[in-house]
């Protein structure tokens, strides 16, 4: 299932694109404009020093951390991923999980972004929608070389007067939903502290397994 394998690769790339999405005042423009302008801006930074972006993972991660991450609702994403376990967690556990989860994702997939600067991301206005409480911005990753484009949707909601992304879907597969399922299994087996410790140890296999689990939930057929 070549298309499904490609989707597995694009889900973490879509996550990276999510991290590239900067917040903006609700009054300053539409979510679609926010997504397109933000992706274009960060791609411009990395493409200006493409060799370094491909050879120096810390450079790419640094760009994300310094320019982007402070404006992303990472707490909200972490809360959605843990679901009921968030409500049961202590303040210390919540902080540790949020920091470790974010750091592990960056280290696991930040290096990939430099290898995909040749791909363009474009907003599909006809499939995007919004109201006062939520917006869905439909995009596609232009793969080129005769490959099918990958559909990626960003879900945003206003947080303190700013539009912020809280989930991303690649080919209909939810980033938040998939990690919620996988981490819930881990917590049921070993507890929340054990999950946090694996993330703090930089266990990239845990992230890879979570992405790979989509195979079990998908009935996709080869295109």
């Amino acid at each position: 299932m070549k298309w499904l394998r490609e989707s597995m690769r694009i889900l973490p790339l879509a996550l990276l694109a999510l991290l590239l999405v900067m917040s903006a005042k609700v009054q300053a423009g539409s979510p679609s404009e926010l997504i397109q302008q933000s992706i274009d801006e960060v791609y411009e930074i990395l493409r200006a020093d493409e060799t370094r972006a491909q050879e120096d993972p810390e450079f790419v991660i640094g760009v994300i951390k310094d320019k982007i991450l402070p404006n992303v609702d990472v707490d909200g994403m972490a809360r959605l991923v843990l679901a009921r376990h968030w409500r049961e967690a202590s303040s210390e556990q919540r902080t540790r999980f949020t920091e470790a989860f974010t750091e592990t994702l960056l280290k696991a997939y930040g290096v990939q972004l430099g290898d995909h600067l040749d791909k363009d991301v474009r907003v599909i206005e006809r499939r995007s929608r919004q109201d006062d409480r939520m917006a869905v911005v439909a995009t596609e990753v232009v793969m080129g070389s005769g490959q099918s484009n990958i559909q990626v949707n960003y879900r945003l909601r206003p947080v303190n007067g700013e539009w912020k992304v809280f989930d991303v879907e690649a080919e209909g597969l939810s980033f938040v939903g998939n990690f919620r399922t996988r981490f819930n299994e881990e917590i049921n087996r070993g507890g929340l502290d054990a999950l946090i410790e694996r993330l703090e140890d930089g266990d990239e296999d845990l992230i890879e397994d979570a992405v790979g689990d989509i195979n079990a939930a998908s009935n996709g057929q080869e295109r």
Side-chain angles (χ1 to χ4, degrees), residues 69-108:
L69 206 55
N71 298 306
V72 176
D73 185 15
V74 291
D75 288 337
M77 289 169 48
R79 185 168 59 251
L80 289 171
V81 168
L82 283 187
R84 65 181 178 84
H85 299 294
W86 180 272
R87 296 190 295 272
E88 300 167 356
S90 67
S91 296
E92 179 186 5
Q93 287 175 317
R94 292 175 179 178
T95 298
R96 287 176 60 202
F97 173 80
T98 301
E99 293 178 352
F101 182 45
T102 303
E103 190 70 22
T104 303
L105 288 172
L106 287 172
K107 289 182 177 178

Side-chain angles (χ1 to χ4, degrees), residues 16-43 67-73 121-125 128-131 134-139 153-159 161-167:
L16 284 176
L18 183 154
L19 295 177
L20 297 179
V21 177
M22 300 174 65
S23 65
K25 297 295 182 183
V26 174
Q27 297 84 356
S30 72
S32 295
E33 293 171 337
L34 161 64
I35 296 290
Q36 189 69 71
Q37 292 173 4
S38 299
I39 291 175
D40 289 347
E41 179 180 352
V42 177
Y43 267 48
K67 304 295 185 181
I68 310 303
L69 206 55
N71 298 306
V72 176
D73 185 15
V121 180
R122 59 192 182 198
V123 171
I124 311 300
E125 289 285 359
S128 301
R129 63 185 187 277
Q130 76 174 88
D131 56 31
M134 190 179 75
V136 177
V137 178
T139 75
N153 294 338
Y154 297 94
R155 295 184 177 276
L156 305 89
R157 59 187 175 191
V159 179
E162 300 179 329
W163 283 111
K164 292 192 177 184
V165 173
F166 67 91
D167 195 11

